[in-house]
Amino acid sequence: MSDTHHHIEHAHHEEGGHAHATVRGYVTGFILSVILTAIPFWLIMGKVIANPGTAAAVILAFAAVQILVHMVYFLHMNTKSEGGWNMLALIFTLVLVVITLAGSMWVMHHMNTNMMPTMSAHDMRNMP
């Protein structure tokens, strides 16, 4: 068996902190990605979940799992790659995104509450 063939057939092999890609890993990642896309598509197109809020939460959960699949199978991220710096950078990025989104939602909510005039339905109909 050639060295190249031997390298392709084995699962992830750690050597010097770098994960090596395999055909099996890419195929597994591809199949998981297709499944994680098809299920939410079916849930929405088949109107399986009646409540829009619940449907959105389920879709977001599938999206989060798909992000993890892409990071593990295609970007080869794990706690050992690059001496752990990749994972640390990912965690830092996630913290910044959560702070930015939560702060934006908080500001928009308070702007809406404090800046919008309180009007009745009758007043809204009579607006120019």
Side-chain angles (χ1 to χ4, degrees):
M1 193 159 43
S2 71
D3 186 43
T4 305
H5 182 68
H6 179 73
H7 175 66
I8 290 174
E9 287 298 316
H10 285 298
H12 289 20
H13 175 71
E14 294 291 326
E15 189 176 286
H18 299 289
H20 292 280
T22 64
V23 173
R24 176 180 284 161
Y26 282 122
V27 169
T28 303
F30 176 74
I31 290 170
L32 286 172
S33 295
V34 168
I35 291 169
L36 290 169
T37 300
I39 292 173
F41 183 79
W42 167 73
L43 289 173
I44 297 301
M45 295 306 288
K47 296 181 177 37
V48 175
I49 302 173
N51 184 346
T54 304
V58 169
I59 299 302
L60 287 174
F62 273 100
V65 172
Q66 191 164 77
I67 288 170
L68 292 174
V69 166
H70 283 255
M71 288 189 324
V72 170
Y73 287 99
F74 299 121
L75 298 177
H76 311 293
M77 287 184 67
N78 59 32
T79 55
K80 294 183 174 88
S81 64
E82 300 287 332
W85 286 106
N86 279 344
M87 195 57 62
L88 188 63
L90 173 68
I91 292 168
F92 179 71
T93 302
L94 290 175
V95 167
L96 287 179
V97 167
V98 167
I99 289 171
T100 302
L101 290 176
S104 297
M105 296 303 289
W106 180 73
V107 167
M108 288 189 284
H109 170 74
H110 284 282
M111 291 290 286
N112 184 46
T113 302
N114 296 322
M115 300 295 284
M116 291 299 292
T118 53
M119 291 186 179
S120 67
H122 182 272
D123 292 337
M124 293 288 277
R125 278 190 291 254
N126 294 330
M127 283 185 70

